[in-house]
Amino acid sequence: MTTTKKAWKLQDFTAHTADVKCLGLGHKSGRVMVTGGEDRKVNLWSVGKPHCIMSLTGHTTSVESVRFGQDEELVVAGSLSGALKVWDLEQAKILRTLTGHQSGIKSLDFHPYGNYVASGSMDCNVKLWDVRRKGCIYTYKSHTNCVNCLRFTPDGQWIASASEDNTIKIWDLTAGKLLTELKLHRGPVNVVEFHPSDLLLASGSSDKTVKFWDLETFQCISSSDLDKHPIRSITFHPEGTCLYSACGDSLKVYGWEPFVCYDVVPIAWSEVGDMAIANSQLITASYSKTNVSTFVVDLNKVAPTGVVSRSDDTKAPNRMTSSSGRRSFITDRPPTSSSREANFTSIPKLSSEPKRSDTPPDPKGPDKSDNTEEDSMTSQADIQNQDDYRRIFKENSKNPNGRARVEPFQPPLEDDSPEPVKVVPGPAVKKEISPRIKPVPQKVPVKESVSSSVQASDFLPKQKAPSDLSEPDVMDMLTKGHNTMIMVLQQRSRNLQVVRAMWTSGNTKTAIDSAISMKDMAVMVDLLNIINSRASLWNLDLCCLLLPQLKEIMNSKYESHVITAANSIKLVLRNFGALIKANMEEPPSSTVDISREERHKKCLACYTILSSIKSTIQSTHTSVTAKLAGVFREIMLLMVSLD
């Protein structure tokens, strides 16, 4: 039986044990998906199947952004702490861990040619990374708020950054400078996409509009009507015929010269995270809380590539091009060091120069070393479904033409009664029975791009000799990183002011709860330094509240943080160790003593966490400084009171 469905839900399943924070589809095949969650995991899926293929662990904070590489063999994930991890899916191993951002990473993109990744952060900066050298090539500083989206041009010479500050900035990578700033949006810009061939950019914003920008004149050539919802996901048709915009409860199809809405397809999705096109089908993925849903739109039934919408009698042209004959991106070969000039003749004069990165590339050449031992120990790839893994990453890797062609998804029949949605347990349920894939022991070099001629130096502006530096250049070098540190300290000051306001109102517990909810370890340490100096503030309730935080701070990389947490633990053991031990026995069931039962539960919770802290100290005491070793010995002596 034939069907006339334009769109349908493909699946709905539980993807993580905590809220899903981000997802990304493989744009080459449209058949793989990666998700990141508050459970600190990166999970890999085959679209249409509810079983996790691979679970990637190693992040210490929530995973805020994920992105596939061009060939879907690499995945990069950014966390709330500002760290990036690059994974080799074919080898099932961690490739690189990159650090440098001062705050959470909200956007990522792979360069179309070389082994380069761009990241945008809540610290307002855009960083360009060389995966082979394991370092930051350049830091682009100009935004005044979080960077929501990053996209490289098809030729890899420019990058567009969209920000919460309502602007879009376009950077010339070969010159290392800002080309232009696009300012017409009246709300945060959530997403940008380049046309697959023409010098055209589309942007979607929380001001509920989609705008189209001519990249020869850097002018807005058209804008959509005001939608009911913010625009969070857009994508061009691979042939450049139209733009698809996912917003609210519908998919809208736009043309831009002149602006026209070709079709509207109602779809009951939530927040769409990404879209990909394969086999004349638009695959979309949305997420809500711990669940992920995928949808399919048959583009053969959607105008202008399919039938013309009944609400629009205008026949769509086969190709949307500017009346002036807009130039195209030159993608026959990537830019090289011998062709450093941009491929466009109408680039405006370069303006503000970005600041140099704190971690420039090693002038001696690429670092060929494999993963560090720490990466291998802390970051693991657990294969959950061996059959799907082999089908996607092993069997197809032998095919010189890439992954095997997959058949389009089939829609349900019109007369089929809808089946109830089955929520399938995520990877946490399967973890115990799934085999663990350990990192490959032999060294596996980073895969070279199709263009080995792309070098890190192509992205760097010509450096001046020290004698040629002007006074502003010298001041810039001296104050490098100053603005970022000021922003961090200002945020910490605001958080402490909030805690202080609650503290002075007389509600100590509310103030501590507020500090914990901020998830800022530095604020927590500042608060502990105050509490440690006032032993009278401590009680059993405060011990139950703070001990989980103390356990986390004990794992900090900063010695001062660990010492503060250790001082708090010593205070708890001195003042409450005997009380905790005395109340470990469960009250007799023959009598009712509510206060004693509550005290027993609190003491049992404190004992459990203190025992965990003891185990942590025992496993790390040989690898710490002499100062920490002395503090740890004091704690272990006090722990005797619990035995």
Side-chain angles (χ1 to χ4, degrees):
M1 179 182 295
T2 59
T3 178
T4 59
K5 279 184 176 292
K6 286 185 177 182
W8 61 93
K9 178 182 282 190
L10 187 63
Q11 62 180 154
D12 188 2
F13 60 96
T14 300
H16 289 266
T17 56
D19 285 356
V20 179
K21 302 296 291 184
C22 56
L23 62 79
L25 289 166
H27 288 205
K28 181 178 181 180
S29 68
R31 290 300 190 269
V32 287
M33 177 172 63
V34 61
T35 59
E38 283 189 345
D39 58 4
R40 308 175 185 179
K41 292 183 179 180
V42 177
N43 292 332
L44 186 71
W45 311 84
S46 178
V47 175
K49 296 185 178 182
H51 308 295
C52 180
I53 299 175
M54 189 188 304
S55 186
L56 311 174
T57 58
H59 282 287
T60 59
T61 55
S62 170
V63 179
E64 299 289 312
S65 55
V66 288
R67 186 79 173 172
F68 275 105
Q70 302 297 327
D71 294 324
E72 300 174 1
E73 294 176 354
L74 299 180
V75 157
V76 61
S79 69
L80 191 61
S81 66
L84 290 84
K85 287 185 180 290
V86 184
W87 300 85
D88 186 323
L89 302 179
E90 186 177 341
Q91 298 293 332
K93 61 177 287 186
I94 182 72
L95 200 61
R96 296 285 184 264
T97 296
L98 305 169
T99 57
H101 280 294
Q102 302 299 317
S103 192
I105 297 171
K106 301 298 291 185
S107 52
L108 296 161
D109 198 24
F110 274 92
H111 190 273
Y113 297 115
N115 292 290
Y116 306 102
V117 172
S119 59
S121 169
M122 290 187 284
D123 64 12
C124 310
N125 294 335
V126 175
K127 286 183 179 290
L128 183 66
W129 306 86
D130 187 330
V131 177
R132 294 169 301 178
R133 295 170 184 256
K134 301 186 292 185
C136 180
I137 299 174
Y138 217 85
T139 300
Y140 303 91
K141 300 180 179 181
S142 183
H143 283 294
T144 59
N145 210 327
C146 175
V147 181
N148 290 329
C149 184
L150 293 173
R151 290 294 181 266
F152 285 100
T153 50
D155 65 354
Q157 289 201 14
W158 295 353
I159 189 169
S161 56
S163 172
E164 289 279 334
D165 62 14
N166 304 358
T167 68
I168 304 162
K169 296 181 187 292
I170 299 179
W171 310 86
D172 187 326
L173 301 182
T174 58
K177 294 186 177 181
L178 179 68
L179 274 181
T180 191
E181 182 178 38
L182 310 176
K183 296 183 177 181
L184 293 183
H185 278 294
R186 298 184 178 180
V189 187
N190 301 318
V191 59
V192 287
E193 290 288 347
F194 286 101
H195 190 280
S197 59
D198 293 350
L199 283 169
L200 183 77
L201 177 75
S203 58
S205 167
S206 290
D207 66 9
K208 304 175 183 178
T209 66
V210 173
K211 296 188 186 299
F212 297 92
W213 309 84
D214 187 314
L215 297 181
E216 292 186 84
T217 62
F218 297 111
Q219 299 296 315
C220 179
I221 58 174
S222 60
S223 178
S224 70
D225 298 329
L226 201 64
D227 207 293
K228 295 180 181 179
H229 305 276
I231 313 299
R232 301 199 180 277
S233 186
I234 59 176
T235 190
F236 279 99
H237 189 280
E239 297 178 359
T241 50
C242 58
L243 178 91
Y244 300 101
S245 172
C247 53
D249 54 0
S250 64
L251 175 76
K252 295 188 176 181
V253 190
Y254 293 139
W256 48 90
E257 272 183 325
F259 176 80
V260 60
C261 181
Y262 289 116
D263 213 337
V264 178
V265 182
I267 307 177
W269 49 34
S270 51
E271 183 171 342
V272 174
D274 200 6
M275 298 190 287
I277 296 175
N279 294 328
S280 297
Q281 290 182 333
L282 178 70
I283 316 300
T284 66
S286 67
Y287 57 91
S288 177
K289 297 188 180 299
T290 61
N291 276 25
V292 167
S293 302
T294 55
F295 300 81
V296 179
V297 181
D298 188 348
L299 300 183
N300 291 324
K301 297 181 174 65
V302 176
T305 55
V307 297
V308 178
S309 172
R310 295 179 182 177
S311 61
D312 189 352
D313 296 331
T314 305
K315 181 66 177 178
N318 292 328
R319 173 82 168 145
M320 303 309 303
T321 56
S322 67
S323 58
S324 59
R326 181 174 293 110
R327 290 175 178 270
S328 297
F329 293 109
I330 301 176
T331 57
D332 292 340
R333 63 183 180 87
T336 65
S337 57
S338 61
S339 58
R340 295 177 61 86
E341 296 298 324
N343 291 327
F344 320 118
T345 58
S346 53
I347 296 177
K349 185 177 180 180
L350 302 178
S351 55
S352 59
E353 183 174 352
K355 305 295 186 293
R356 285 284 301 155
S357 166
D358 293 341
T359 54
D362 185 357
K364 297 180 181 179
D367 186 347
K368 300 293 184 180
S369 63
D370 202 291
N371 300 334
T372 63
E373 183 178 352
E374 182 180 359
D375 272 352
S376 301
M377 293 176 60
T378 61
S379 302
Q380 299 288 337
D382 295 337
I383 294 182
Q384 309 284 341
N385 190 304
Q386 291 281 2
D387 291 339
D388 283 348
Y389 172 74
R390 284 193 296 268
R391 175 177 58 84
I392 295 175
F393 297 107
K394 291 300 183 183
E395 295 175 5
N396 291 324
S397 65
K398 301 175 184 177
N399 181 0
N401 296 322
R403 290 187 170 82
R405 184 183 184 277
V406 291
E407 294 300 320
F409 292 112
Q410 296 302 317
L413 299 179
E414 287 288 352
D415 57 350
D416 283 351
S417 57
E419 296 182 359
V421 175
K422 296 180 180 179
V423 178
V424 181
V429 177
K430 295 179 174 290
K431 185 172 182 180
E432 294 182 359
I433 61 173
S434 62
R436 175 171 295 246
I437 300 299
K438 296 182 179 179
V440 180
Q442 69 272 19
K443 293 188 176 183
V444 180
V446 180
K447 294 181 178 61
E448 293 296 333
S449 159
V450 293
S451 171
S452 59
S453 58
V454 178
Q455 301 296 329
S457 58
D458 293 339
F459 299 106
L460 300 175
K462 187 176 180 181
Q463 299 298 307
K464 296 180 180 179
S467 58
D468 297 334
L469 291 174
S470 63
E471 184 176 343
D473 290 333
V474 174
M475 290 300 298
D476 180 63
M477 292 175 62
L478 293 174
T479 59
K480 181 174 55 179
H482 175 75
N483 291 336
T484 299
M485 181 55 67
I486 289 296
M487 290 176 58
V488 172
L489 293 177
Q490 287 175 341
Q491 181 63 41
R492 187 181 303 175
S493 176
R494 286 192 291 267
N495 290 341
L496 288 172
Q497 289 295 334
V498 171
V499 175
R500 182 177 181 274
M502 295 182 179
W503 186 287
T504 54
S505 67
N507 197 334
T508 304
K509 185 177 183 302
T510 303
I512 295 174
D513 281 332
S514 175
I516 293 173
S517 66
M518 291 173 182
K519 297 181 179 180
D520 187 334
M521 189 176 291
V523 171
M524 200 68 229
V525 170
D526 288 341
L527 184 60
L528 285 172
N529 282 322
I530 296 172
I531 299 175
N532 288 346
S533 65
R534 302 180 62 182
S536 60
L537 291 173
W538 287 84
N539 55 37
L540 198 56
D541 287 331
L542 196 63
C543 292
C544 291
L545 193 63
L546 287 176
L547 276 173
Q549 307 304 314
L550 296 176
K551 178 184 175 183
E552 184 175 347
I553 297 173
M554 287 290 286
N555 294 318
S556 172
K557 62 182 179 180
Y558 300 111
E559 185 178 273
S560 60
H561 289 188
V562 177
I563 290 175
T564 297
N567 289 335
S568 298
I569 293 170
K570 288 192 294 182
L571 193 151
V572 170
L573 290 169
R574 287 194 188 104
N575 295 331
F576 300 96
L579 177 66
I580 291 171
K581 182 179 180 181
N583 286 273
M584 283 298 296
E585 294 184 3
E586 190 172 351
S589 58
S590 57
T591 60
V592 178
D593 189 341
I594 296 177
S595 61
R596 184 178 176 185
E597 290 176 359
E598 291 180 349
R599 189 163 58 250
H600 166 71
K601 291 180 181 178
K602 293 174 184 176
C603 289
L604 182 61
C606 291
Y607 178 82
T608 302
I609 299 173
L610 286 169
S611 298
S612 178
I613 293 173
K614 180 180 179 180
S615 300
T616 301
I617 292 175
Q618 288 174 333
S619 62
T620 60
H621 74 282
T622 58
S623 59
V624 297
T625 62
K627 186 175 182 180
L628 279 180
V631 175
F632 285 177
R633 280 194 296 271
E634 292 181 48
I635 293 177
M636 295 303 292
L637 289 172
L638 291 169
M639 286 282 186
V640 175
S641 64
L642 298 179
D643 296 336

